[in-house]
Amino acid sequence: MAAIKHRRTALERVEKFLSDTYFTDCNLRGRLFGDRCPPASLSYFQTPRRIPYEEAVVQEFGPARVGDSFGPTWETCWFKVELSIPLEWAGREVHFVWESDGEGMVWRNAQPVQGLTKEGEKTSYILTRSLKESEPHSLTLYVELACNGLFGAGKGSMIAPPDPDRRVTLSKAELVVFNRDVYELLVDLEILLDMAQLLGEENQRSFQALYTAKQMINVCDVTDPSTFPAARDLAAAIFSQRNGESQHTIHAMGHCHIDSAWLWPYEETIRKCARSWVTVVHLMEHNPELTFACSQAQQFEWVRSCYPGLYARIRDFVAKGQFIPVGGTWVEMDGNLPSGESMVRQFLQGQRFFQDQFGRICSEFWLPDTFGYSAQLPQLMRGCGIQRFLTQKLSWNLVNSFPHHTFFWEGIDGSQVLTHFPPGDSYGMNGRVEEILKTVKNNKDKGRVNHSAFLFGFGDGGGGPTQKMLDRMKRMSDTDGLPRVQISTPDQLFSVLEKESSQLCTWVGELLELHNGTYTTQSQIKKGNRECERILHDVEVFSTLAVAQDREFQYPASQLQQLWRLLLLNQFHDVLPGSCIQLVVEDALQYYTEIRRAGAQLQEEAVQSLCKDLLQPEGWSTQSTLVLNTLSWERTEVISRPGPDRAETLALVTVPSMGYALVQEPFVPPQLVTVWEQEDGSINMENGVIAVCLDTMGHVTSLQLLDSGRESIPDGCYANQFALFDDVPLYWDAWDVMDYHLETRKPVTTVLKPLKVTLGGGLRGSVRFSLQVGKSSTLTQEIILDAMCPYLRFQTQVKWKEAHKFLKVEFPVQVRSTSATYEIQFGHLQRPTHWNTSWDWARFEVWAHKWLDLSEHGFGVALLNDCKYGASAHRNVLSLSLLRAPKSPDSTADIGLHQFTYAVMPHQGSFQEAGVIQQAYNLNFPLHVVPASCAQCPGWSAFSVSSPAIVLETVKQAEDRPEAVVVRLYEAHGSTVTAWLQTSLPIQEAMLCDLLERPLEGGHLPLEKQGLRLSFTPFRVLSVLLLQSC
């Protein structure tokens, strides 16, 4: 009979034959499962804790039934499932089917064997593929059920705050006969149907696929499995028709992106890793071709500690080359906010873990999902043994579609890494024809390269690959009309891309233009990050110097590693950015508290050892105070110290670079601070460097450099102007600030307490005022001018109670420039101050670290801060983003008390010449003040650098050589310079090393009278290994 040629009816006929909704009484889908049998017994117990298997199985279990609900949210239920397989099922494939709204784990013989997640298409555990009479027909399983879904427990939407009373329902728990032949035929037909629908009517392969599927239905009698092989032969004939040699090759890799915390707490992530990875291992046992790329050393460490049996199996598959550690970092961190040194430690801790556990470091940086990409990352990657980079988030660009999928990314120092982001726009593919075709169609580098990555497996909340995904791709491995699909590895992909790279384009500078609200959301987390980065920096400096001065002192290497790992964990790309639920925020703040507590103790012990002959054993000396400086330049600053009656007193002190000095009395500055009030209530302050005039609302109406008389504030403008904006994004509440928020600007104008003098001058002058912000919030600020200080400091306290509002502070300045400069990790970059193009205005809200600057030739103004990251510079207005108030996924985000400091610094010349970089460090790294027992002691310096362009960022003990010190320096001005590093430590040998502390070939440095001669190009980071004399 001639084939029916009506395309629509033919397509719908195939669809209905596969449907799980229509005609299941007579179609193929309805035959997937055969006989069914309930458990012989089902019982459970519930606990609010996440407990180990050994503790769970000895609890008292009560009866449970299918249809029961369990909860509330974050509780855990353990089910004891006793099964009895009917004898008549001999020779059949038997599955245990479990469907619920929660995430489950099957335990058998005291080991985890299968993750169960309805959202991740894993609802069955294969008991046997062919039941033998010799196999036990009765067995007991345990199912650990988390009362949360794959994406937490959002109330009403995925990113809504968790519903605390959500319950999960057990909708199915049974034994079933699984008809493997029906399954294989279903997969065949699904692929053919997709080809028919997606290749289009202009493509003959579309019709070949459609008519083949129709023929298969014709020969297939769903009640007679003996007809299935003939139908499958028809499909095999289509799948075996091969591609031409020029066809695009897709490199498919199993993947399971697991957010280390997001819509669930850290503790739940540990179980997500186990549920996902045990399923991957089980798949590998039956699919030796499967590869699985897995990042984040922290997650490996969690599984190693909590699931040693599973971890041993993972290590076996790592050795076989199937389970592939990637990324090289401790977690998949945010790409914007961690400091340069924190990013180094992400790689240092991650690569050392992978080397120790698996005998190799990673050769590719793996960051599929992050909220930005610092332009310093290429240099840091290369310094850690990585020249390849894979990411996915570029596909999220809201305004400008990124022009490449495979390209060279060049950082601010000129370092380049080969970068690929999968053209299919997802790191959680399902192995469908649609995704395969999209990968090729989307590829913006056609003709330059002919290979793309394809990451398959459920992600974000875990899950990973499924057998069905693999089976789909096996059929598409080399089928005419579709791209060639091969199970591959990151190394295979990048190796072939490297061979094809001669025509690739280069992108210079930072990447991504989305999620700019994450520079400000959850400001307490951001403050904790900045503070703890400083604490660990200072502890390492003091401890290293203490070892050099006192050989009995033990460098706290293990404690520091633990604290660094806590800090690095909190830099995960949904924690530090603030896009997480309240439970995660609480965990993160607790970790910062632990770092502060332990860090303070370690610092005290190191200072006691370093300065033990100088310190006051008990109480404060009225005569002497020791001041320590952890930065690599001399500092002259006003300090506060307890006086004889315990009242705070001020002193001016000069402290050598990375060393200490006693306060010398009296030390009088060239000019004291003067403060005076005008008749209109405005207040003036001067210190011989700058002069400022403030109105009663705390606005800066004038800011002059006294040497030049140059005014910083335009006539009629107010600096230190607070402004409130409506802040309602399109969807991603904690993540996004939209451009239209700028249209809702409302200046803060309600005074609660007008400006008044709090310190009348001398070494310090200060004034204070309070404002009402919005409907319910208050802001109190103390504006401080210290003797000899080139900046005006704003100590700010906000009681924040707003909803969907955005608070900024603005500084209009009398400077004209088409670009502003922002500090990033180990350097800085420029961004436009205009909105000429879509690429320009997409950067209406950007990020910076400790400073941003707007300069014209000969003059500029810088904004410094101690814990803020969001910023902008449009035309002549510098803005610092202070607080947001999103309601998802944490309805309490940022509500509460906040304390932070920022400063404004006008300067002559360039920001480099004026020392803006050093002053921003000074603001973030306060001098340390301790009581001293002796009145006289010469100042002591451990390290100094001859050039102001060079910052000595890090001093620490080498990881593998206790007798060695690692120092890390970077060029901060954007210049080519030679500098001398001087040290008073007893050094007998010096050599350059990479960021993993491996000596560089030819990196030996001669010890000369002037110190160590180091050569820098713009923004170059150098690490030096110093071997101390015994």
Side-chain angles (χ1 to χ4, degrees):
M1 182 178 177
I4 302 300
K5 294 185 178 180
H6 192 273
R7 181 177 171 85
R8 176 181 169 184
T9 57
L11 285 169
E12 289 205 25
R13 182 188 181 199
V14 181
E15 289 173 352
K16 296 302 188 292
F17 194 64
L18 305 178
S19 174
D20 57 5
T21 304
Y22 301 104
F23 305 112
T24 54
D25 61 325
C26 59
N27 72 2
L28 187 63
R29 180 77 62 182
R31 299 299 190 276
L32 183 58
F33 295 108
D35 293 339
R36 301 169 184 267
C37 174
S41 173
L42 182 64
S43 56
Y44 86 108
F45 94 94
Q46 186 168 320
T47 171
R49 296 186 299 121
R50 298 172 178 90
I51 61 176
Y53 172 87
E54 294 77 14
E55 182 179 344
V57 295
V58 297
Q59 303 300 314
E60 184 175 340
F61 286 69
R65 294 174 307 197
V66 172
D68 286 351
S69 293
F70 306 90
T73 308
W74 309 124
E75 295 271 306
T76 296
C77 294
W78 283 83
F79 292 84
K80 185 177 183 180
V81 187
E82 297 181 53
L83 302 172
S84 181
I85 305 174
L87 295 175
E88 58 268 26
W89 289 7
R92 308 302 299 275
E93 182 170 337
V94 181
H95 292 194
F96 169 59
V97 173
W98 176 281
E99 289 187 12
S100 75
D101 305 321
E103 291 189 90
M105 171 80 92
V106 180
W107 291 79
R108 184 176 185 179
N109 299 327
Q111 290 298 320
V113 291
Q114 174 72 53
L116 295 170
T117 310
K118 189 175 181 180
E119 298 156 290
E121 296 183 5
K122 298 179 183 69
T123 56
S124 67
Y125 167 56
I126 302 175
L127 293 173
T128 175
R129 294 181 184 269
S130 179
L131 182 64
K132 300 179 178 63
E133 289 188 12
S134 59
E135 288 185 85
H137 284 51
S138 297
L139 67 155
T140 299
L141 303 177
Y142 288 88
V143 177
E144 177 188 12
L145 181 68
C147 294
N148 53 265
L150 196 64
F151 291 93
K155 189 173 185 177
S157 75
M158 181 181 74
I159 65 167
D163 179 353
D165 300 315
R166 178 173 170 178
R167 301 181 69 81
V168 299
T169 300
L170 176 58
S171 54
K172 195 173 289 186
E174 61 186 4
L175 289 172
V176 300
V177 170
F178 182 78
N179 293 320
R180 177 69 57 179
D181 50 359
V182 172
Y183 165 82
E184 298 291 354
L185 196 52
L186 283 169
V187 177
D188 287 342
L189 284 163
E190 286 174 358
I191 298 292
L192 292 170
L193 178 60
D194 283 349
M195 289 175 66
Q197 291 175 322
L198 298 168
L199 289 178
E201 293 187 47
E202 71 281 0
N203 191 319
Q204 71 164 355
R205 287 290 280 175
S206 168
F207 286 93
Q208 290 174 352
L210 177 58
Y211 290 138
T212 298
K214 185 172 65 66
Q215 286 179 276
M216 291 169 66
I217 297 173
N218 290 339
V219 303
C220 178
D221 179 353
V222 296
T223 65
D224 182 3
S226 68
T227 65
F228 295 173
R232 292 214 62 205
D233 288 343
L234 292 170
I238 284 281
F239 296 142
S240 63
Q241 292 174 339
R242 303 303 179 202
N243 273 301
E245 291 185 6
S246 66
Q247 183 60 271
H248 190 89
T249 299
I250 287 174
H251 292 251
M253 298 166 241
H255 187 243
C256 178
H257 178 67
I258 303 177
D259 288 319
S260 290
W262 179 29
L263 304 176
W264 51 87
Y266 285 126
E267 277 194 352
E268 190 58 39
T269 307
I270 300 173
R271 299 200 296 190
K272 283 178 175 286
C273 292
R275 288 190 287 259
S276 303
W277 295 0
V278 74
T279 305
V280 170
V281 167
H282 184 69
L283 282 173
M284 286 178 174
E285 289 169 346
H286 298 280
N287 300 269
E289 75 282 3
L290 172 61
T291 60
F292 180 75
C294 190
S295 65
Q296 307 195 72
Q298 171 69 86
Q299 294 185 3
F300 282 89
E301 173 61 20
W302 279 334
V303 172
R304 187 186 73 84
S305 299
C306 300
Y307 300 87
L310 170 59
Y311 189 72
R313 296 167 69 194
I314 288 171
R315 291 188 68 174
D316 289 342
F317 282 105
V318 171
K320 293 176 182 177
Q322 290 180 256
F323 203 108
I324 305 167
V326 294
T329 50
W330 190 247
V331 297
E332 289 185 9
M333 72 281 194
D334 178 68
N336 296 324
L337 307 185
S339 69
E341 188 58 31
S342 287
M343 285 189 167
V344 171
R345 300 308 176 92
Q346 287 284 354
F347 286 106
L348 182 66
Q349 289 294 327
Q351 292 285 53
R352 286 178 60 81
F353 179 90
F354 291 128
Q355 179 67 52
D356 176 66
Q357 292 295 308
F358 307 117
R360 57 176 288 267
I361 64 172
C362 302
S363 60
E364 56 286 303
F365 183 33
W366 195 270
L367 199 61
D369 182 20
T370 192
F371 305 151
Y373 308 83
S374 166
Q376 188 58 277
L377 272 168
Q379 180 180 195
L380 302 186
M381 285 184 232
R382 293 187 70 97
C384 296
I386 290 173
Q387 299 183 37
R388 302 159 165 180
F389 177 39
L390 184 141
T391 186
Q392 185 64 66
K393 200 70 174 189
L394 291 175
S395 63
W396 283 52
N397 267 19
L398 187 64
V399 178
N400 301 287
S401 177
F402 195 76
H404 304 293
H405 285 99
T406 305
F407 59 99
F408 285 106
W409 181 24
E410 183 174 307
I412 57 173
D413 74 312
S415 296
Q416 291 188 349
V417 291
L418 177 60
T419 302
H420 179 74
F421 86 91
D425 290 350
S426 174
Y427 48 72
M429 296 295 199
N430 291 304
R432 304 300 299 256
V433 171
E434 179 182 13
E435 299 164 341
I436 298 292
L437 294 175
K438 181 179 180 181
T439 295
V440 178
K441 181 180 179 181
N442 262 18
N443 186 6
K444 294 179 179 176
D445 296 284
K446 298 183 184 78
R448 297 190 184 103
V449 291
N450 205 25
H451 297 259
S452 298
F454 185 91
L455 307 181
F456 65 94
F458 290 97
D460 288 331
T466 66
Q467 183 66 54
K468 196 168 198 178
M469 296 175 189
L470 275 170
D471 292 336
R472 289 172 183 147
M473 289 183 293
K474 288 175 186 177
R475 288 158 171 80
M476 294 186 284
S477 62
D478 192 3
T479 296
D480 185 28
L482 299 177
R484 189 175 288 110
V485 180
Q486 67 180 48
I487 301 297
S488 186
T489 67
D491 181 65
Q492 290 170 2
L493 168 69
F494 278 105
S495 293
V496 72
L497 291 177
E498 286 165 352
K499 292 177 182 177
E500 296 181 347
S501 64
S502 62
Q503 300 299 312
L504 290 178
C505 299
T506 298
W507 182 272
V508 179
E510 59 189 340
L511 306 171
L512 196 64
E513 52 180 42
L514 188 70
H515 290 346
N516 40 20
T518 62
Y519 314 150
T520 305
T521 303
Q522 298 286 11
S523 65
Q524 295 288 20
I525 289 181
K526 291 167 173 63
K527 181 176 182 178
N529 178 74
R530 185 81 66 86
E531 285 186 358
C532 291
E533 287 176 335
R534 169 186 57 80
I535 288 167
L536 295 183
H537 168 278
D538 288 357
V539 169
E540 289 183 334
V541 169
F542 288 138
S543 298
T544 303
L545 302 188
V547 169
Q549 296 285 84
D550 179 3
R551 292 297 178 174
E552 294 183 1
F553 179 79
Q554 293 294 311
Y555 188 88
S558 61
Q559 298 99 308
L560 277 168
Q561 182 185 74
Q562 292 170 10
L563 297 180
W564 266 112
R565 287 182 172 182
L566 281 182
L567 178 61
L568 299 179
L569 173 58
N570 273 355
Q571 290 173 351
F572 179 74
H573 64 252
D574 277 307
V575 180
L576 179 53
S579 51
C580 51
I581 61 172
Q582 184 180 357
L583 281 175
V584 179
V585 175
E586 293 170 358
D587 285 345
L589 295 181
Q590 180 58 43
Y591 290 164
Y592 291 135
T593 298
E594 173 60 19
I595 295 170
R596 290 185 182 103
R597 183 201 63 77
Q601 181 178 341
L602 293 176
Q603 180 177 293
E604 181 180 355
E605 293 169 357
V607 170
Q608 288 287 337
S609 180
L610 175 64
C611 308
K612 56 186 175 183
D613 296 333
L614 304 175
L615 302 184
Q616 177 70 268
E618 293 182 9
W620 285 87
S621 165
T622 59
Q623 298 297 319
S624 188
T625 302
L626 187 69
V627 184
L628 298 96
N629 173 20
T630 59
L631 301 178
S632 59
W633 46 83
E634 182 182 273
R635 298 165 65 177
T636 299
E637 296 179 21
V638 175
I639 61 162
S640 178
R641 56 176 178 164
D645 57 355
R646 301 291 180 177
E648 291 290 313
T649 63
L650 301 177
L652 187 65
V653 61
T654 295
V655 191
S657 61
M658 211 158 276
Y660 55 74
L662 289 170
V663 174
Q664 301 298 318
E665 310 271 8
F667 180 13
V668 180
Q671 182 171 330
L672 294 170
V673 178
T674 56
V675 181
W676 69 98
E677 190 170 353
Q678 306 279 10
E679 289 183 3
D680 61 0
S682 63
I683 296 175
N684 293 68
M685 294 194 289
E686 286 187 14
N687 68 351
V689 182
I690 57 177
V692 60
C693 181
L694 302 153
D695 71 11
T696 56
M697 290 185 61
H699 294 138
V700 179
T701 58
S702 174
L703 180 62
Q704 286 189 356
L705 272 177
L706 290 175
D707 274 356
S708 65
R710 174 68 185 259
E711 176 61 59
S712 304
I713 310 302
D715 289 343
C717 292
Y718 298 119
N720 200 40
Q721 171 68 63
F722 297 97
L724 203 62
F725 300 80
D726 294 341
D727 187 13
V728 184
L730 298 176
Y731 176 70
W732 297 99
D733 199 358
W735 292 258
D736 288 345
V737 168
M738 309 310 297
D739 55 349
Y740 52 75
H741 88 280
L742 296 169
E743 302 170 21
T744 67
R745 177 182 180 274
K746 296 179 181 65
V748 175
T749 58
T750 304
V751 179
L752 297 177
K753 293 181 181 179
L755 193 73
K756 69 174 184 178
V757 176
T758 49
L759 277 178
L763 290 179
R764 174 173 292 167
S766 65
V767 296
R768 181 178 297 166
F769 66 95
S770 295
L771 304 174
Q772 179 172 324
V773 179
K775 294 182 178 179
S776 309
S777 303
T778 59
L779 181 150
T780 300
Q781 191 170 72
E782 187 156 14
I783 304 177
I784 301 167
L785 183 62
D786 281 350
M788 299 181 67
C789 185
Y791 56 73
L792 184 67
R793 188 157 41 110
F794 302 84
Q795 284 188 349
T796 313
Q797 179 174 290
V798 182
K799 294 179 181 178
W800 185 243
K801 301 177 182 179
E802 302 305 303
H804 286 123
K805 299 295 181 182
F806 193 178
L807 179 65
K808 302 183 185 183
V809 65
E810 300 169 342
F811 283 80
V813 295
Q814 200 157 285
V815 176
R816 178 166 177 78
S817 177
T818 57
S819 64
T821 306
Y822 303 79
E823 187 193 38
I824 68 168
Q825 297 85 357
F826 296 138
H828 60 262
L829 49 70
Q830 283 76 43
R831 301 182 180 114
T833 57
H834 55 75
W835 295 342
N836 280 0
T837 71
S838 61
W839 291 92
D840 297 331
W841 68 257
R843 290 187 277 185
F844 60 87
E845 176 79 5
V846 294
W847 60 275
H849 279 204
K850 297 183 291 294
W851 59 269
L852 65 150
D853 180 87
L854 187 67
S855 289
E856 59 191 39
H857 180 68
F859 179 78
V861 178
L863 269 185
L864 323 178
N865 76 85
D866 72 345
C867 62
K868 298 299 174 184
Y869 295 90
S872 65
H874 182 55
R875 311 291 285 185
N876 70 322
V877 179
L878 296 174
S879 295
L880 195 64
S881 299
L882 303 178
L883 292 167
R884 294 187 70 218
K887 295 301 170 186
S888 292
D890 176 8
S891 61
T892 68
D894 284 314
I895 302 303
L897 181 66
H898 300 269
Q899 293 177 321
F900 50 85
T901 298
Y902 56 88
V904 61
M905 177 180 167
H907 59 83
Q908 285 185 278
S910 68
F911 69 85
Q912 294 99 324
E913 296 163 340
V916 166
I917 297 167
Q918 284 78 7
Q919 294 298 334
Y921 268 94
N922 292 352
L923 182 67
N924 280 268
F925 290 80
L927 294 168
H928 296 268
V929 178
V930 294
S933 60
C934 61
Q936 297 294 324
C937 171
W940 178 76
S941 170
F943 289 97
S944 62
V945 186
S946 64
S947 170
I950 306 304
V951 175
L952 173 53
E953 176 75 15
T954 302
V955 176
K956 65 181 287 288
Q957 186 182 85
E959 295 290 320
D960 294 320
R961 306 175 73 168
E963 78 284 3
V965 171
V966 170
V967 296
R968 190 157 12 261
L969 312 93
Y970 72 95
E971 197 287 319
H973 286 181
S975 61
T976 298
V977 64
T978 297
W980 294 92
L981 172 65
Q982 295 97 18
T983 180
S984 58
L985 271 57
I987 303 302
Q988 65 176 8
E989 189 178 356
M991 64 195 76
L992 294 174
C993 61
D994 67 7
L995 297 179
L996 301 182
E997 303 182 7
R998 301 175 300 185
L1000 299 179
E1001 187 176 350
H1004 180 78
L1005 297 170
L1007 300 176
E1008 303 182 49
K1009 184 178 293 186
Q1010 303 98 312
L1012 297 175
R1013 187 177 187 272
L1014 301 173
S1015 296
F1016 293 85
T1017 51
F1019 307 119
R1020 186 182 182 192
V1021 179
L1022 284 183
S1023 298
V1024 183
L1025 198 62
L1026 304 173
L1027 274 63
Q1028 300 185 78
S1029 306
C1030 296

